[in-house]
């Protein structure tokens, strides 16, 4: 049976996916990436013939010269070979032997927070695809999906397992009927799929069983069960990647993690928690002094903003890397308008910059970090972990305090702690403690842990776990959670 696509019309989802028009501005680079991913992940199967250069260029919306350059690059990678003469053309030559090595080298570029976010995004896509497929199962050809679900059982080598697993997930996405969703799945598989398959023998049977259960739910038309199974399967796979990423940060020569007793580790964790809260409180005091000085001197709004921002910038410089940002939100009823003077470090402690917020869209009255109404001696309020969608767009914890001058509320001070930095800071201290030990906020969200798969999870009040309150913050150390 010929695999050649020749100049025939593009009809299958695979060709639609691989050869769809490019949207990126740098199409020269993107065309090669698109075709490489399609080959590495089995969308374009080994031995299949590519359409003619003129047809491909027209289909993908690039010049023939750009297309030829991309094919030359693929030939250099050993992914395409060109045959001359009758029956010649460009043919796919799948070569995935180095994929795992190359991808593992790039794992260090991801933070645990990046991988946690990717885990949830992948789970959302897989769950949505499985549910959509179940809802239209009567129109699907289940044989191909069922075959791809079990193909992984025969895989002995990582490269084979990568391709078999990725093919199933791409087939699953394609069963949703959405080319755009399928394209997202291809991109994610190319990015993190290989990291799951360091040792296929340890994982292939579990993966095949998961795949089979998902297909069974789709065949039965059970959208809710199909979504649940797909989400759980993806999260388990991504947890393997998160576990692996955590090991990259561990070195065998760190004396604290090798020799410290459990009591020493807990004491160090308590001291670090107090240091985080103390750093935030110190930063807010610095900003508060500037606020009171500006009000006392009766300076104009623009001068007050400049002076307060200067104080915030100095406080961030002193508080980094524990502190992510600090500043002041002015109360409209006092100043005549609401405005914000805030300095934060989105590119790292060495690069502080001003935070710009559209105050017309920012609803401070319902912000998770708004402190309770208090008098002159307002205590420091500590929020739970939340995504600051109207500000930094990061997952942070904010410590805040009301500023009251002569009995009048004039605004709120705040200091942000970046949750990913909490993980980085606490994790070395958590290592000597029992596996699955976590630090959680007042809602049970895990802020730091010594077990990768716990990143981004929760510990509920009903969980049977030994708990110890940490000083200065409403956080709890949960030892050896199940």
């Amino acid at each position: 049976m010929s695999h050649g696509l020749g100049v025939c019309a593009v009809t299958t989802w695979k060709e639609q996916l691989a050869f769809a028009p490019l949207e990126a501005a740098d199409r020269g680079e993107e065309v090669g990436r698109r075709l490489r991913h399609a080959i590495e992940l089995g969308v374009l199967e080994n031995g299949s013939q590519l359409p003619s250069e003129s047809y491909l260029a027209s289909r993908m919306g690039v010049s023939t010269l750009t297309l030829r350059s991309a094919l030359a690059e693929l030939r250099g990678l050993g992914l395409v070979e060109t045959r001359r003469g009758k029956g010649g053309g460009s043919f796919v030559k799948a070569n995935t032997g180095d994929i795992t090595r190359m991808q593992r080298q790039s794992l260090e570029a991801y933070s645990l927070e990046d991988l946690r976010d990717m885990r949830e995004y992948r789970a959302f896509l897989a769950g949505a695809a499985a549910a959509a497929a179940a809802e239209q199962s009567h129109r699907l050809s289940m044989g191909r999906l069922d075959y791809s679900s079990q193909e992984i059982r025969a895989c002995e080598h990582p490269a084979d397992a990568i391709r078999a697993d990725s093919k199933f997930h791409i087939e699953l996405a394609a069963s949703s009927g959405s080319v755009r969703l399928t394209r997202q799945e291809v991109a994610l598989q190319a990015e993190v799929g290989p990291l799951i398959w360091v040792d296929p023998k340890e994982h292939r049977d579990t993966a095949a069983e998961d795949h089979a259960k998902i297909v069974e739910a789709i065949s039965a038309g059970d959208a809710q069960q199909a979504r649940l199974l797909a989400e759980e399967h993806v999260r388990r796979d991504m947890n393997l990647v998160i576990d692996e990423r955590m090991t990259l940060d561990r070195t065998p020569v760190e004396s604290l993690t090798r020799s410290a007793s459990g009591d020493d580790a807990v004491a160090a964790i308590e001291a670090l928690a107090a240091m985080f809260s103390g750093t935030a409180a110190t930063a807010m005091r610095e900003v508060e002094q500037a606020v009171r000085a500006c009000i006392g001197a009766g300076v104009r709004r623009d001068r007050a903003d400049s002076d307060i921002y200067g104080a915030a910038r100095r406080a961030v410089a002193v508080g980094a890397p524990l502190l992510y940002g600090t500043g002041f939100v002015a109360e409209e009823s006092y100043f005549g308008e609401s405005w914000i003077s805030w300095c934060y470090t989105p590119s790292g402690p060495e690069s502080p910059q001003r935070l710009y917020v559209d105050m017309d869209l920012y609803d401070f009255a319902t912000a998770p970090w708004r402190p309770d109404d208090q008098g002159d001696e307002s205590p420091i309020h500590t929020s739970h972990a939340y995504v600051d969608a109207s500000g930094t767009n990061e997952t942070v914890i904010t410590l805040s305090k009301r500023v009251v001058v002569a009995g009048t509320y004039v605004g709120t001070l705040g200091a942000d702690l970046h949750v990913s930095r909490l993980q980085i800071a606490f994790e070395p201290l958590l290592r000597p403690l029992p596996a699955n030990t976590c630090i959680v906020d007042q809602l049970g969200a895990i802020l730091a842990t010594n077990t990768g798969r716990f990143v981004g999870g929760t510990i509920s009040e009903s969980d049977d776990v030994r708990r110890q309150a940490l000083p200065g913050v409403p956080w709890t150390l949960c030892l050896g959670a199940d």
Side-chain angles (χ1 to χ4, degrees):
M1 178 178 177
S2 174
H3 291 286
L5 300 176
V7 295
C8 64
V10 176
T11 56
T12 70
W13 69 264
K14 290 191 174 186
E15 287 93 44
Q16 290 181 48
L17 188 66
F19 309 139
L22 296 169
E23 301 174 0
D26 188 2
R27 295 183 174 184
E29 181 180 347
E30 181 64 22
V31 65
R33 183 185 300 114
R34 170 82 66 78
L35 293 174
R36 176 170 59 84
H37 288 171
I39 293 170
E40 289 177 344
L41 298 175
V43 174
L44 296 177
E45 296 179 0
N46 188 38
S48 63
Q49 182 180 359
L50 298 178
S52 67
E53 291 180 355
S54 60
Y55 178 85
L56 266 183
S58 174
R59 176 72 186 179
M60 300 183 79
V62 298
S63 68
T64 303
L65 186 63
T66 297
L67 191 282
R68 286 176 179 168
S69 176
L71 290 178
E73 180 182 349
L74 294 176
R75 280 194 291 271
L77 294 172
L79 297 175
V80 167
E81 64 177 357
T82 299
R83 304 170 190 168
R84 306 296 180 185
K86 185 177 180 180
S90 295
F91 293 82
V92 173
K93 184 181 178 183
N95 175 21
T96 60
D98 291 333
I99 294 176
T100 300
R101 178 182 57 80
M102 292 185 294
Q103 290 291 82
R104 284 179 62 86
Q105 289 176 351
S106 70
L107 182 57
E108 287 185 281
Y110 296 100
S111 69
L112 291 176
E113 182 68 15
D114 291 334
L115 294 173
R116 182 207 64 79
D117 190 53
M118 194 176 296
R119 177 186 67 194
E120 297 310 307
Y121 182 49
R122 278 200 62 206
F124 173 80
L125 288 183
E135 289 171 353
Q136 55 185 349
S137 59
H138 59 285
R139 296 194 290 111
L140 292 178
S141 174
M142 297 301 301
R144 185 175 183 84
L145 188 60
D146 184 52
Y147 174 78
S148 67
S149 73
Q150 297 301 312
E151 196 173 357
I152 201 169
R153 287 193 186 276
C155 296
E156 295 289 340
H157 303 290
D160 297 329
I162 291 166
R163 288 172 62 82
D165 188 52
S166 293
K167 283 171 66 177
F168 169 75
H169 283 281
I170 294 169
E171 288 279 0
L172 177 62
S175 298
S176 72
S178 170
V179 172
R180 189 175 295 273
L181 187 153
T182 309
R183 196 175 299 155
Q184 288 295 312
E185 184 63 44
V186 168
L188 287 168
Q189 286 295 325
E191 191 170 5
V192 298
L195 300 176
I196 301 167
W197 295 99
V198 177
D199 188 351
K201 294 180 181 179
E202 295 295 322
H203 186 45
R204 66 184 180 190
D205 289 341
T206 301
E209 290 170 7
D210 285 355
H211 294 173
K213 291 176 181 177
I214 294 169
V215 173
E216 183 179 353
I218 292 173
S219 299
D222 190 339
Q224 182 176 356
Q225 180 70 355
R227 180 190 297 275
L228 178 64
L229 290 170
E231 289 178 350
E232 289 179 345
H233 169 63
V234 166
R235 288 193 176 100
R236 277 196 294 272
D237 278 355
M238 286 301 300
N239 281 337
L240 296 176
V241 180
I242 294 173
D243 285 344
E244 181 65 24
R245 175 63 184 86
M246 184 174 281
T247 65
L248 298 181
D249 292 330
R250 297 178 177 173
T251 60
V253 295
E254 292 174 333
S255 59
L256 173 64
T257 61
R258 292 180 63 87
S259 60
S261 69
D263 290 342
D264 290 339
V266 171
I269 290 168
E270 291 176 336
L272 184 57
M275 188 181 299
F276 269 109
S277 63
T279 299
T282 299
M284 286 189 287
R285 281 196 297 271
E286 173 89 8
V287 177
E288 183 174 10
Q289 289 175 3
V291 171
R292 293 185 180 276
C294 288
I295 292 175
V299 300
R300 299 191 313 272
R301 186 260 199 226
D302 57 345
R303 170 67 184 277
D305 176 57
S306 176
D307 288 355
I308 294 169
Y309 176 73
R313 189 178 176 92
R314 291 191 298 272
V316 167
V318 173
L322 300 181
L323 193 65
Y324 183 59
T326 190
F328 174 72
V329 178
E331 169 61 22
E332 182 177 8
S333 63
Y334 182 85
F335 289 95
E337 62 177 321
S338 183
W339 44 273
I340 184 170
S341 293
W342 204 281
C343 181
Y344 76 130
T345 55
S347 301
E350 70 286 350
S351 304
Q353 65 185 58
R354 180 183 281 270
L355 175 66
Y356 292 97
V357 174
D358 187 342
M359 298 304 291
D360 290 334
L361 299 178
Y362 192 83
D363 184 9
F364 178 63
T366 61
W369 62 282
R370 180 181 173 90
D372 297 331
D373 291 344
Q374 299 288 342
D376 288 336
E377 299 301 321
S378 171
I380 291 178
H381 169 271
T382 305
S383 79
H384 55 81
Y386 69 100
V387 177
D388 186 21
S390 298
T392 63
N393 293 321
E394 297 287 349
T395 304
V396 298
I397 288 171
T398 303
L399 282 74
S400 56
K401 180 179 182 294
R402 291 164 54 86
V403 180
V404 178
V405 177
T408 302
Y409 169 56
V410 302
T412 299
L413 304 162
D416 288 334
L417 306 177
H418 200 298
V419 169
S420 67
R421 293 184 187 175
L422 297 179
Q423 169 66 31
I424 292 171
F426 279 110
E427 195 269 339
L429 306 179
L430 292 167
R431 291 178 202 165
L433 298 175
N436 305 342
T437 292
C438 311
I439 296 171
V440 302
D441 70 7
Q442 55 268 51
L443 297 183
I446 293 174
L447 306 177
T449 176
N450 60 8
T451 304
R453 66 192 60 212
F454 273 50
V455 172
T458 59
I459 302 293
S460 71
E461 286 293 331
S462 61
D463 288 335
D464 184 15
V465 60
R466 186 155 62 95
R467 303 170 190 268
Q468 181 168 329
L470 296 180
V473 285
W475 304 343
T476 303
L477 178 64
C478 297
L479 292 143
D482 186 359

